[in-house]
Amino acid sequence: MSDAALEALAADAYVYGSPIVRGLSMVGTFVERGMGGGLPPTPFNRFVHAREPATPRTELPSANSDTLYSFAQLDLSGGPVLLHVPDSRGSYFVLQFVDAWTNNFAYLGRRSTGTAEQAWLITPPHWHGTASEDVQVIVSPTTVATIVGRYVCDGPADLPRVLDLQRRLTLAPLEPGGVYAGLPEADPGVPAELRFLERLRLWMAAFPPAEPDLAYQQRFAPLGLLDTGTSPYLGPEPGWVAALAKGLAAGEERVEAVTGPAEDRPAGEWAVSLHLFDYNLDHFGPGTVASRDWRTADRRAAYLTRAAAARTGLWGNHAYEATYATTHDDAGGRPLTGARSYTLRLDSPPPVDAFWSVTVYDLPGRRLTENPIGRYSIGDRTPGLAYGKDGSVTLVLQHERPTDPVETANWLPTPAGEFRPIVRMYQPRAAVLDGSYRLPPLEPR
């Protein structure tokens, strides 16, 4: 195969494989090193809980501060696990299940299964056992998967309630004593330029995708991705390494190109990610919507969408659970920066059945930043939020504290430099999902 053909194939492999590499690398981080913001290293099949909403100490990009996170990395190679979900008494929560390929394959919670106490058995693929009558079953498409829990927290006074729910959210093996495989580890002798491919090779084999994707993977044989046993990337020929590295860089550029704003987008328009997570075409467990409206029609196109989602919103929800909107510039088309002040006037607040919020993140890290009032999001649950007589609400986004008391009540502090806002709408209504509700642009002042 010519160098040009190798480069093109490696670029396709990056688009196809970057989600599993990103996702399982994050799984490994949770298990081996932990995350910032009070999330210590935690073994498989055990929950780790944030004890406060996301802050600048939280390392997860674009983390939300509306809810307290609960994470569990599942290893089902040793058998199924039992999940106990406590009664939240009507309060919003969601437990989102994500497989190794970043497919959202099940949701439990207020929207999907209600808020009463629940018991579930989570099984590996092709499990042939029998569950007891008092539990419901979720089949994981891969033996390693992730549970992302989000429990709404309405400020410090509400924190004890949420911490108690987290304490009673538990996992236990169906049959103790199982042997667990964990994540295969890459050979340390593989050169840095090819470690992505080595991880992809190992994890593709350990966590097979759906049958149609297995067929697609066959085209990557010339890259060594289907090799078993000893790594093909040990002691490789320099020209081969150069071609593969160049192709991987091209694939990364392809993904980056689709994560930015469209060139023909009107100034200040919000990009609403209604279908960013519709790449799951094969696995529809409890709480998922399997209709055509929520599935990408073209499987090849779904690979690029999946890569973009893993790049910008790893482990994000389908829009029917929570809809996210973001913008990169103001009404005049200028990049958003803390050097300016902006208003966001909502003539009518977002139509939701749970709640909505606005959060800002610095760039390029997409992290929360410190501010003098410790406010990292603003929305319908913000104490003292000032509404107009007509029901509208005008939010003020700027770095410095406003002098007007009403503006201070509606102030969302921004980073000093460039930033990106995200509007989150939990349990969005039809007007959000059909696109008829539109957010206005940020107006510079």
Side-chain angles (χ1 to χ4, degrees):
M1 180 175 283
S2 68
D3 285 353
L6 274 175
E7 291 170 15
L9 196 57
D12 287 349
Y14 182 89
V15 171
Y16 175 77
S18 61
I20 190 173
V21 173
R22 285 186 187 276
L24 292 185
S25 295
M26 185 67 76
V27 169
T29 296
F30 268 89
V31 173
E32 297 165 11
R33 302 202 312 272
M35 299 289 290
L39 297 174
T42 305
F44 281 107
N45 301 332
R46 186 182 302 174
F47 277 104
V48 60
H49 306 290
R51 301 304 183 183
E52 61 180 1
T55 71
R57 296 186 298 277
T58 305
E59 294 182 13
L60 192 68
S62 301
N64 82 67
S65 60
D66 305 308
T67 65
L68 264 65
Y69 281 108
S70 294
F71 294 97
Q73 309 305 332
L74 303 178
D75 183 355
L76 305 173
S77 59
V81 296
L82 289 161
L83 168 67
H84 173 258
V85 183
D87 186 349
S88 75
R89 300 184 182 277
S91 180
Y92 180 84
F93 79 94
V94 61
L95 299 178
Q96 167 197 358
F97 291 73
V98 191
D99 74 7
W101 292 88
T102 70
N103 294 304
N104 295 328
F105 64 90
Y107 294 94
L108 309 180
R110 186 173 183 265
R111 174 192 63 85
S112 53
T113 59
T115 63
E117 184 177 17
Q118 302 168 41
W120 293 85
L121 184 69
I122 309 166
T123 77
H126 314 301
W127 183 67
H128 298 296
T130 302
S132 61
E133 294 182 358
D134 59 340
V135 300
Q136 303 175 78
V137 175
I138 297 174
V139 179
S140 175
T142 52
T143 55
V144 165
T146 297
I147 301 176
V148 184
R150 300 173 178 88
Y151 281 90
V152 67
C153 182
D154 293 331
D158 193 34
L159 191 57
R161 178 191 66 84
V162 180
L163 295 179
D164 180 62
L165 289 173
Q166 290 180 328
R167 180 183 60 80
R168 293 185 287 126
L169 179 69
T170 60
L171 288 165
L174 178 63
E175 297 180 352
V179 178
Y180 298 92
L183 291 177
E185 296 184 5
D187 191 309
V190 172
E193 303 95 321
L194 302 183
R195 285 175 191 162
F196 172 91
L197 290 174
E198 175 67 353
R199 287 179 172 177
L200 180 56
R201 180 184 75 91
L202 292 172
W203 293 343
M204 277 172 42
F207 312 109
E211 287 295 331
D213 291 348
L214 279 174
Y216 180 79
Q217 287 180 176
Q218 297 302 312
R219 62 196 300 268
F220 298 132
L223 304 179
L225 286 174
L226 303 186
D227 289 14
T228 59
T230 303
S231 172
Y233 309 119
L234 293 171
E237 191 272 325
W240 194 59
V241 173
L244 294 183
K246 187 175 180 180
L248 293 174
E252 186 173 11
E253 289 176 4
R254 191 185 305 171
V255 174
E256 292 293 328
V258 300
T259 60
E263 293 183 359
D264 58 350
R265 178 183 58 90
E269 183 178 68
W270 292 79
V272 182
S273 55
L274 290 176
H275 300 288
L276 184 60
F277 297 95
D278 291 2
Y279 49 79
N280 174 22
L281 306 177
D282 306 289
H283 308 291
F284 297 95
T288 59
V289 179
S291 72
R292 291 184 178 180
D293 293 340
W294 298 101
R295 286 188 290 179
T296 304
D298 184 337
R299 186 174 289 268
R300 291 286 293 271
Y303 298 147
L304 184 57
T305 301
R306 182 176 66 181
R311 168 66 182 86
T312 61
L314 183 66
W315 299 345
N317 293 294
H318 277 93
Y320 50 74
E321 181 67 44
T323 297
Y324 311 128
T326 187
T327 186
H328 292 75
D329 51 27
D330 62 24
R334 294 180 299 182
L336 300 173
T337 171
R340 301 189 185 96
S341 174
Y342 307 91
T343 58
L344 177 62
R345 175 183 167 83
L346 302 173
D347 291 332
S348 59
V352 295
D353 287 326
F355 60 94
W356 62 269
S357 70
V358 185
T359 312
V360 294
Y361 302 93
D362 69 2
L363 292 177
R366 296 185 173 90
R367 302 290 175 83
L368 300 170
T369 56
E370 297 286 355
N371 66 75
I373 60 173
R375 178 181 288 174
Y376 305 111
S377 71
I378 194 168
D380 57 358
R381 299 171 302 114
T382 301
L385 192 68
Y387 288 83
K389 293 181 179 180
D390 58 358
S392 66
V393 60
T394 300
L395 307 179
V396 177
L397 282 71
Q398 63 185 47
H399 185 61
E400 300 296 333
R401 181 193 296 266
T403 56
D404 181 84
V406 173
E407 290 190 354
T408 300
N410 291 9
W411 175 41
L412 179 60
T414 66
E418 290 192 12
F419 66 87
R420 182 186 73 156
I422 294 182
V423 176
R424 291 180 169 90
M425 295 168 273
Y426 293 83
Q427 288 189 246
R429 296 177 183 168
V432 173
L433 297 179
D434 66 19
S436 57
Y437 178 82
R438 300 178 69 86
L439 293 162
L442 288 169
E443 295 287 348
R445 299 200 298 173

